[in-house]
Amino acid sequence: MPYSAEISRANPSVFMFLIDQSGSMVEPIAGSENKRKCDSVADAINRLLHNLIIKCARGDGVRNFYEVCVIGYGATVAPAFSGPLAGRDLVPLSEVASSPARIEERIRKVDDGSGGVIEQKVKFPIWFEPVAKGITPMGTALNMACKILREWVQRHMASYPPIVINISDGEATDSGPVPQAQELTSLATEDGNVLLLNCHISSQPVQPIIFPESDADLPDEFAKTLFSISSVLPASMRELARAEGFNLGPEARGFAFNADLVELIRFLDIGTRGSNLR
Amino acid sequence: MVPIVTAFRLPKQGYSLDECDDAFAYEVNCLRFAIADGATESAFSDRWAQSLVKAYITEPPFGMPPAEDAMMLWMLPLQHEWRQSIDWASLPWYCQEKAENGAFATFLALEFSAHGTVWEKIVSRTLQGEELKWNAFAVGDSNLFQVREDQLIATFPVARSDEFSSRPILLASNENHNYSALRDIKSASGGVKPGDQFFLATDALAKWFLERHEAGEKPWQQLLALKSEEEFAALSERLRKQEGVRNDDMTLVVIRWEG
């Protein structure tokens, strides 16, 4: 199980996001008075999809190195793309790129090259809207992920295994998430088991914790539970994370507490990338 | 002495030659050779790599190795040309954003010349019997090897197989991304004797070359035996399947100095 399969058009992989859309996601995120957790998560998912598309874009379009799925769990458990992709589960990346719900223009502050800052208009595509309603059926969401991916891994045995990223503020209100997560991560291609990464977004003003090796410093039971179901990062991923400046040990898990989601997976890399290529 | 040159270029397995981001160019009359490896993760890097090697053959930058400023000046028209070659208006948002960041490529240039000064000529000819001098400069990890009498006598700029990383320094078509690359121009030089062989190789092949040499083998013998594109393709496939060589674009230029 080396986690070394090349991700290519012939052997694509999967990014699946499971997003907590429960009522508690209207609470502000730690360290921010007015930014709701659900807004912060929606922004992060849209940026993640954006980054993934740019990463896989070439001059002639987006290469289908990945299929992408977003599942929301709250009042319902269902695929959560909005716009033309509404209701779809696994979508090839090139189709994600060409089918956002809408494209907003936002202002980005960038370095002008001589010490100043200039404002630049950037396109900000939206695929996913903030929702905060209902309970936290995390177990059911993991079950749905398992159902979708069971079939996928059977069809893609030579591929790099799917990476599932679960983003939640904590406590499952169904029987989850431990047995469902175990079932999900028992799925495997010839290259390795499905990887489950968990991001815990908390209202508690606790310093971010990224890729810990134990649950000793985690502040509550919910965080400890999410840590317990997070995959140990494979060696290849640890190396990439180290190259990005993360400090992590051999048993580091795919778990983050109050961390910036985009930062968290920016190291998931494909192919040659220059050290001055940003 | 005359050089006999063979050159090969191959895309990643599963890709077409159109999608190969490697480039080479050489001109036997002026004895200049160059290879470039376009970063797979940038847009239109194939054109950028092609443009760099072609420009070096027709009109190289001033100086050997060129200074930071000379390199910057030399690349300006190439960068302009690269931007002009893109039909920006017809690109979808994601290709536009990708291309705005620019294309990136490694670059390795090699030039042979008669020894420069009278003193150099006297010393080198009498002491070493070397008739020509080679000069090379590089940005990134495309590599040069010199073999004499079946022994590896020079390797540049990467000396050990474990020095290859997936994040080399690259020359960018967007001048704002070139500051670190220009500070990192590396150079080397040496003498040439009849019978010497030179190999220019992009990273995946160069890494294999060094690994085999470190294991006490003579990988150049396999490369010298190559007679055709088909043989190069067969060798590459074997290296990828059996020797764990990364599935990457591969370029090889072999220069043999016959006495």
Side-chain angles (χ1 to χ4, degrees):
Chain A
M1 296 290 189
Y3 292 97
S4 62
E6 186 189 19
I7 298 169
S8 65
R9 286 176 295 204
N11 287 312
S13 191
V14 169
F15 269 111
M16 182 181 273
F17 299 96
L18 308 181
I19 319 284
D20 186 338
Q21 297 181 321
S22 64
S24 59
M25 294 292 282
V26 292
E27 291 166 14
I29 201 161
S32 159
E33 289 299 304
N34 44 23
K35 188 145 192 183
R36 302 181 303 170
K37 289 184 207 162
C38 59
D39 293 327
S40 169
V41 168
D43 261 14
I45 297 296
N46 288 321
R47 278 164 64 206
L48 282 170
L49 293 176
H50 188 154
N51 284 0
L52 192 60
I53 287 163
I54 297 301
K55 209 184 253 294
C56 298
R58 301 291 179 268
D60 53 0
V62 173
R63 296 196 176 157
N64 280 326
F65 294 140
Y66 291 95
E67 292 180 60
V68 178
C69 179
V70 185
I71 292 172
Y73 54 97
T76 58
V77 178
F81 280 122
S82 39
L85 300 176
R88 298 271 302 275
D89 49 31
L90 287 168
V91 181
L93 192 63
S94 63
E95 211 181 325
V96 177
S98 58
S99 318
R102 61 179 191 281
I103 298 185
E104 291 181 355
E105 276 203 340
R106 296 198 180 182
I107 302 291
R108 183 173 63 174
K109 289 190 166 63
V110 292
D111 190 344
D112 68 357
S114 54
V117 172
I118 48 170
E119 292 191 336
Q120 198 179 50
K121 270 189 193 165
V122 289
K123 297 214 160 78
F124 193 89
I126 308 283
W127 292 271
F128 175 77
E129 308 281 356
V131 179
K133 206 171 159 186
I135 51 167
T136 312
M138 195 189 297
T140 313
L142 287 161
N143 269 340
M144 180 178 276
C146 197
K147 198 173 153 218
I148 294 167
L149 292 180
R150 176 169 285 126
E151 199 189 320
W152 190 93
V153 295
Q154 280 163 5
R155 280 186 289 119
H156 296 85
M157 283 309 282
S159 281
Y160 193 95
I163 297 174
V164 180
I165 299 169
N166 176 41
I167 303 163
S168 169
D169 66 349
E171 191 182 10
T173 49
D174 57 8
S175 64
V178 179
Q180 294 88 346
Q182 281 167 349
E183 196 185 347
L184 175 65
T185 52
S186 72
L187 297 176
T189 68
E190 286 159 3
D191 192 48
N193 287 67
V194 167
L195 292 168
L196 177 58
L197 277 52
N198 287 283
C199 297
H200 189 159
I201 306 175
S202 163
S203 308
Q204 295 184 56
V206 176
Q207 279 294 308
I209 298 171
I210 300 177
F211 304 136
E213 287 198 280
S214 85
D215 63 5
D217 297 327
L218 299 176
D220 58 40
E221 283 312 307
F222 310 138
K224 286 181 200 280
T225 302
L226 286 179
F227 172 84
S228 77
I229 62 168
S230 300
S231 302
V232 172
L233 294 176
S236 50
M237 219 183 250
R238 278 203 314 272
E239 282 312 305
L240 289 168
R242 285 206 186 102
E244 287 287 337
F246 291 106
N247 178 17
L248 37 77
E251 292 298 311
R253 294 207 188 197
F255 174 82
F257 185 86
N258 274 359
D260 181 327
L261 296 172
V262 181
E263 287 292 295
L264 187 66
I265 67 159
R266 75 185 140 98
F267 67 86
L268 297 171
D269 231 336
I270 324 136
T272 309
R273 178 168 163 205
S275 56
N276 51 341
L277 201 171
R278 293 275 171 199
Chain B
M1 280 205 301
V2 285
I4 297 169
V5 184
T6 44
F8 307 105
R9 194 168 73 105
L10 201 71
K12 294 176 200 59
Q13 196 196 2
Y15 290 70
S16 68
L17 195 57
D18 284 349
E19 294 172 311
C20 181
D21 296 321
D22 275 7
F24 68 78
Y26 60 89
E27 174 54 68
V28 179
N29 291 323
C30 57
L31 295 179
R32 281 199 292 270
F33 301 79
I35 60 173
D37 176 356
T40 52
E41 215 190 275
S42 60
F44 304 112
S45 58
D46 51 345
R47 306 182 188 183
W48 178 235
Q50 289 286 352
S51 159
L52 288 168
V53 296
K54 280 187 187 145
Y56 175 74
I57 300 311
T58 50
E59 202 170 343
F62 177 76
M64 185 44 109
E68 232 174 273
D69 289 0
M71 260 319 256
M72 207 153 79
L73 273 177
W74 179 68
M75 281 193 292
L76 276 178
L78 308 180
Q79 289 162 335
H80 180 73
E81 202 177 270
W82 181 87
R83 271 193 300 274
Q84 293 293 314
S85 77
I86 295 167
D87 181 7
W88 293 93
S90 73
L91 289 182
W93 68 270
Y94 38 89
C95 290
Q96 220 174 71
E97 186 171 331
K98 187 82 177 193
E100 273 163 15
N101 204 29
F104 292 78
T106 68
F107 184 61
L108 169 65
L110 169 69
E111 176 184 85
F112 297 92
S113 58
H115 284 291
T117 62
V118 174
W119 176 246
E120 260 186 345
K121 279 178 189 164
I122 294 167
V123 170
S124 52
R125 283 195 178 160
T126 52
L127 292 184
Q128 301 167 14
E130 288 170 342
E131 299 182 13
L132 278 176
K133 188 176 179 183
W134 63 265
N135 286 289
F137 72 92
V139 174
D141 61 1
S142 290
N143 232 40
L144 163 71
F145 304 100
Q146 182 182 12
V147 171
R148 177 176 292 169
E149 288 161 8
D150 214 22
Q151 299 296 325
L152 183 64
I153 64 164
T155 162
F156 168 77
V158 183
R160 291 198 328 270
S161 63
D162 60 8
E163 288 173 30
F164 286 95
S165 82
S166 61
R167 319 230 2 217
I169 298 265
L170 304 164
L171 287 179
S173 69
N174 179 337
E175 58 270 30
N176 295 328
H177 296 309
N178 265 336
Y179 300 111
S180 59
L182 292 174
R183 275 198 300 271
D184 210 49
I185 299 172
K186 294 191 166 66
S187 64
S189 61
V192 185
K193 278 185 178 176
D196 281 5
Q197 294 134 0
F198 291 80
F199 302 83
L200 305 181
T202 47
D203 57 344
L205 189 60
K207 182 167 191 261
W208 166 82
F209 190 108
L210 283 170
E211 277 169 356
R212 296 330 309 158
H213 181 251
E214 285 156 9
E217 297 172 20
K218 294 179 171 178
W220 52 86
Q221 292 177 345
Q222 295 188 54
L223 304 181
L224 286 168
L226 297 170
K227 296 278 180 293
S228 64
E229 290 280 346
E230 290 71 31
E231 287 180 17
F232 182 60
L235 173 73
S236 302
E237 196 185 333
R238 192 171 61 70
L239 298 187
R240 286 166 185 165
K241 277 208 178 118
Q242 294 171 14
E243 301 199 29
V245 169
R246 196 159 59 90
N247 184 20
D248 196 358
D249 298 338
M250 273 196 197
T251 291
L252 171 69
V253 179
V254 182
I255 305 151
R256 282 175 290 191
W257 285 96
E258 305 284 309

